[in-house]
Amino acid sequence: MKEKHSGIRLWTTTAFVFGVLAILGVVSLIAPSEPIEMAGLTIRLPKASSLIADSALHARINVEDQLAAVGQTMELSPADSAAMSRKAARTDSVRRVERVFKMSEGSLRFPNEDFTYLFPVFEAMMRADSVEVGVIHYGDSQIESDRITHLLRDSLQATFGGSGPGIIPLWQPIPTSTIRQTLTDSVSTFYAAGIMGRRASHDRYGAICQMAELRGKSVRLNVQSRKGQGRWKSVTAFVGNVEDTLVMSVGPDTILTPPAEGLQAVRWRIAPTNAFEMSLSGKADIYGVSVSAGQGVNVTNVPLRGADALFTSKTNNALIRQMMRQTNTRLVIMEFGGNALPMIDDTADVDRYAKRIGEQIERVRSIRPEARIIFIGPADMSVKVDGELRTHPMLPYMTRALARTASKHGVAFWDMYDVMGGENSMLAWAEHKPALAATDYIHFTTRGAAKIASVLWRAIKMNYDYMLLRKRTEEDNTPAEQ
């Protein structure tokens, strides 16, 4: 007699599994979009569209392919590149470069398609063989540790000359990749914006939106280059509200600064070096110390962790104006937007924020009319949506709104979100090996920042090369003197 098999046969199991999947499929089709409250519990049923979207998330962009594709859109064809060196073809090449500006997602977007917008900046930098030209890069925590900024600085100084980290605070709360900086004693430090520390009871913040109060003690500031590129030849301390004689020394040179309320710029010319020590004793506000070659391009990094870009409404604009004049600031980069997103729920919130950004742009313009402005939109940011990490729902609209605001207020715009690859690209950057973004799905790693900065520099350099091409074309078309 045959023994009967006990248990569930394979076909029964298979039929059960497919039956359950079919039921889930029907449920997903009819499931309401809002969560269901039942017995004190909140139940969220998946929609079929979300299941399809979730599977699409796994087919993420390839970061290297994305950056290569962006790079290709910024290139001229070999024929066009060759034509640029031929007088007869240069006029056509100018038009082709302008088409690249209009079409490439990696290019700067210029107000009213004015591709000459940055020309005054480049012309000033080309004449910086005996003077300094300042660049200030304001941003949120995305540029902490000199990320992004240092590659721009290195590239600008390699092209136009100069060395040094620009203006640094007396107390550096976040170590940077550029310099090693120590202070022998603590000082009261205040911040105009962000979440790094206390606000002062006044608005005496200079161009780096940070100030230190020296109140009768003596401190020594030690600064040393981490990279050793270029030699420093000039040190300038920006001080104000001096209550009694302020004694400052760099090396053997001591300078006595008399009491005064307004800004005083105290300069030392030093032998070429990559390190120095400054001693300070007295009662005064310290707004920063500029370290440079005394000529060429001087690029300052101003990270404001947690800031939403509305910092100029909390600062002494007259003081910033004086410091920007002292450093001959000709380019201001503003990189913000990400920190506003957690407080934004809908397009109306975005529109209000974009309007305030426009006000900040106008305030910067009024502080330093000689400067040009580049506004950089936020990077992609992943947040939990229905249990899945996805691009913040308002970020694409935020980027478009900021681009419109930049155009309306006549400044250049650079779309970091598009360059990264758009929606859900941050996931790919974070999962890249090695990682190009942190596991918070907000910040770049050092490698990721270098990659994004290289595209930004390429966009700026392309406009500089375009200026040189236009100048040669104009010379071609200028009649020779008889």
Side-chain angles (χ1 to χ4, degrees):
M1 188 173 178
K2 259 188 177 180
E3 184 181 351
K4 290 185 178 180
H5 290 287
S6 62
I8 300 174
R9 294 181 179 274
L10 177 61
W11 68 268
T12 306
T13 304
T14 304
F16 174 77
V17 170
F18 277 99
V20 171
L21 291 175
I23 292 171
L24 289 175
V26 172
V27 169
S28 70
L29 289 172
I30 64 174
S33 57
E34 297 300 320
I36 300 171
E37 300 291 337
M38 183 181 296
L41 299 176
T42 300
I43 301 173
R44 186 183 295 274
L45 299 174
K47 296 288 288 181
S49 58
S50 71
L51 294 175
I52 295 170
D54 292 347
S55 64
L57 285 177
H58 296 289
R60 291 168 192 152
I61 65 164
N62 180 291
V63 177
E64 303 299 341
D65 291 346
Q66 165 65 16
L67 294 178
V70 170
Q72 288 174 0
T73 66
M74 301 173 75
E75 289 180 353
L76 293 175
S77 69
D80 286 335
S81 298
M84 291 175 70
S85 63
R86 299 199 304 271
K87 178 178 177 179
R90 274 200 282 267
T91 299
D92 287 339
S93 295
V94 167
R95 297 193 187 99
R96 289 185 174 91
V97 174
E98 290 173 351
R99 282 200 291 272
V100 170
F101 287 145
K102 294 177 184 179
M103 297 174 63
S104 172
E105 59 191 343
S107 300
L108 290 166
R109 300 180 192 174
F110 296 98
N112 300 314
E113 294 188 353
D114 178 11
F115 306 125
T116 69
Y117 176 71
L118 291 179
F119 284 12
V121 178
F122 300 136
E123 288 166 349
M125 290 177 175
M126 291 171 70
R127 297 191 298 269
D129 53 348
S130 59
V131 296
E132 287 187 15
V133 172
V135 177
I136 300 185
H137 186 183
Y138 294 101
D140 50 31
S141 53
Q142 199 68 271
I143 67 169
E144 278 184 347
S145 300
D146 220 16
R147 292 193 308 258
I148 300 179
T149 308
H150 88 86
L151 189 142
L152 288 180
R153 180 187 299 111
D154 291 349
S155 300
L156 284 166
Q157 290 178 345
T159 303
F160 299 104
S163 64
I167 306 173
I168 60 174
L170 185 64
W171 166 248
Q172 182 64 263
I174 305 295
T176 78
S177 61
T178 308
I179 59 171
R180 183 178 291 106
Q181 179 177 341
T182 60
L183 196 66
T184 56
D185 200 352
S186 62
V187 291
S188 296
T189 306
F190 303 92
Y191 303 83
I195 59 173
M196 283 303 298
R198 296 180 295 168
R199 304 286 185 268
S201 59
H202 52 75
D203 67 353
R204 294 192 306 272
Y205 297 101
I208 63 172
C209 301
Q210 177 181 336
M211 58 85 63
E213 287 185 348
L214 191 66
R215 291 293 177 261
K217 63 171 57 177
S218 298
V219 297
R220 288 194 308 278
L221 170 68
N222 290 279
V223 182
Q224 182 178 356
S225 172
R226 289 183 183 273
K227 301 194 307 182
Q229 181 180 358
R231 294 283 182 171
W232 310 333
K233 301 176 185 177
S234 176
V235 175
T236 303
F238 294 105
V239 302
N241 196 32
V242 179
E243 295 184 13
D244 55 17
T245 300
L246 178 64
V247 181
M248 293 185 291
S249 301
V250 173
D253 281 337
T254 298
I255 297 178
L256 305 180
T257 304
E261 289 186 2
L263 178 74
Q264 299 186 64
V266 185
R267 288 187 173 84
W268 290 264
R269 291 288 179 177
I270 58 177
T273 184
N274 286 129
F276 71 90
E277 180 178 278
M278 174 185 289
S279 298
L280 306 93
S281 180
K283 295 182 179 180
D285 295 343
I286 312 298
Y287 305 121
V289 178
S290 178
V291 184
S292 71
Q295 53 82 35
V297 181
N298 189 354
V299 183
T300 296
N301 171 256
V302 185
L304 302 168
R305 180 185 291 188
D308 55 7
L310 310 180
F311 59 92
T312 60
S313 58
K314 307 164 187 173
T315 54
N316 186 312
N317 294 340
L319 186 54
I320 296 177
R321 183 179 297 112
Q322 289 176 287
M323 287 183 67
M324 286 188 172
R325 185 184 301 125
Q326 290 282 351
T327 54
N328 191 24
T329 299
R330 303 303 298 269
L331 177 63
V332 175
I333 301 173
M334 301 170 68
E335 183 178 331
F336 293 100
N339 286 323
L341 284 168
M343 282 75 74
I344 284 175
D345 295 321
D346 52 32
T347 57
D349 287 342
V350 173
D351 292 339
R352 282 189 288 270
Y353 176 71
K355 181 179 179 181
R356 296 189 70 187
I357 289 296
E359 295 168 356
Q360 299 300 301
I361 289 171
E362 291 302 327
R363 198 182 296 263
V364 171
R365 179 181 280 125
S366 70
I367 291 172
R368 185 63 178 167
E370 299 87 347
R372 292 291 190 262
I373 299 171
I374 298 174
F375 195 96
I376 299 176
D380 186 32
M381 173 191 297
S382 300
V383 295
K384 283 289 184 72
V385 179
D386 294 338
E388 290 285 342
L389 279 170
R390 298 183 187 173
T391 291
H392 190 291
M394 287 292 104
L395 197 153
Y397 184 80
M398 164 82 83
T399 299
R400 295 193 296 272
L402 291 175
R404 290 192 298 269
T405 298
S407 177
K408 177 181 177 180
H409 290 272
V411 302
F413 181 78
W414 194 67
D415 195 335
M416 190 186 302
Y417 173 71
D418 264 4
V419 169
M420 288 181 67
E423 189 171 6
N424 296 319
S425 55
M426 181 57 80
L427 296 171
W429 284 65
E431 293 171 4
H432 186 277
K433 303 298 182 185
L436 300 176
T439 53
D440 63 3
Y441 298 97
I442 296 174
H443 298 96
F444 294 115
T445 62
T446 301
R447 285 188 177 91
K451 284 186 177 291
I452 208 73
S454 66
V455 184
L456 174 59
W457 165 243
R458 186 170 182 176
I460 295 171
K461 178 65 161 54
M462 185 167 66
N463 192 234
Y464 172 60
D465 292 338
Y466 166 77
M467 184 189 79
L468 298 181
L469 175 63
R470 275 189 50 145
K471 284 182 176 294
R472 294 176 67 185
T473 304
E474 291 167 2
E475 291 169 0
D476 294 341
N477 297 327
T478 301
E481 294 185 8
Q482 300 296 324

